[in-house]
Amino acid sequence: MATTYLHNVVTLDGFIAKEDDDVGAMHDWYFSGDHSLQDDESHADAHGGVPFRVFAASAEYVRGMWDRQAVGVIGRHLFDITNGWEGHAPASDHVVVVSHRPKPDGWHSEAPFHFVGSVQDGVALAQELAGEGEIGIASGNMGGQALELGLVDYVAMDLVPVIFGRGKPFFGSFSDGPLLLEDPDVVIAGEGVLHLRYPVRGRAQAARG
């Protein structure tokens, strides 16, 4: 089974975006450095118009995560607000979109995006597609459901020194708590960001074999 991790950039008070989906300065660290995260930067327009370039302290960790990620699992809302990055996701060979609606008519038919109706089906398909790679699950409501269902091995956060006060929670509407995670096995202080990764008890040990 491929390793799964719930991941996103998150504010100090636990939000991944404002209520109107604006992320403010949360993602500035992704574009402020001099170390590229992608060998091919030709699709920068689909990712905000600027290539992903981070500072040295973040480069090895983030590049490694992106290189290992074979499949991304996202919700329909993220697909809609990004237009699926015009078929070119920042990381992963395949993207599974959890949605009750099909792929939009005429939308990038060649893109390796797969639409399924439930979180369980989404992660199951991701496991089929991942091969020897890993699976990144976007946090928020869909990711929180995956965590409740016991489908997440690690919780990975890029913690930024921003406070929103209100917004969209990292774990969405997760209600199956309290859930005790293990101590972080990744703690990397970057510039404008702190990278953290927490193993999910029971799940992570099994993923490590």
Side-chain angles (χ1 to χ4, degrees), residues 9-71:
V9 182
V10 61
T11 66
L12 289 176
D13 50 350
F15 298 112
I16 58 175
K18 297 179 183 177
E19 292 170 332
D20 62 358
D21 294 315
D22 181 20
V23 296
M26 285 180 63
H27 293 181
D28 285 0
W29 65 274
Y30 263 136
F31 308 100
S32 302
D34 54 7
H35 286 65
S36 176
L37 293 179
Q38 297 169 305
D39 295 328
D40 180 3
E41 296 182 344
S42 62
H43 303 295
D45 285 348
H47 307 137
V50 181
F52 288 102
R53 294 180 182 172
V54 300
F55 289 105
S58 298
E60 182 178 358
Y61 170 68
V62 179
R63 185 74 184 261
M65 176 184 284
W66 285 18
D67 286 348
R68 293 190 304 271
Q69 181 175 308
V71 186

Side-chain angles (χ1 to χ4, degrees), residues 83-148:
N83 196 33
W85 305 283
E86 302 299 337
H88 300 282
S92 73
D93 300 318
H94 296 270
V95 175
V96 176
V97 183
V98 177
S99 173
H100 295 300
R101 291 176 284 139
K103 182 188 297 187
D105 289 339
W107 184 87
H108 300 290
S109 59
E110 77 290 349
F113 280 59
H114 315 267
F115 287 67
V116 298
S118 71
V119 175
Q120 297 99 318
D121 289 345
V123 176
L125 177 57
Q127 288 287 354
E128 294 178 17
L129 295 169
E132 308 239 333
E134 297 180 347
I135 299 168
I137 301 173
S139 72
N141 285 328
M142 187 275 304
Q145 292 177 44
L147 187 63
E148 285 189 354

Side-chain angles (χ1 to χ4, degrees), residues 131-175:
E132 308 239 333
E134 297 180 347
I135 299 168
I137 301 173
S139 72
N141 285 328
M142 187 275 304
Q145 292 177 44
L147 187 63
E148 285 189 354
L149 291 166
L151 302 175
V152 174
D153 299 319
Y154 294 89
V155 173
M157 297 178 161
D158 299 319
L159 184 66
V160 292
V162 176
I163 297 172
F164 278 173
R166 64 174 65 90
K168 298 193 171 182
F170 182 94
F171 294 103
S173 57
F174 178 84
S175 60

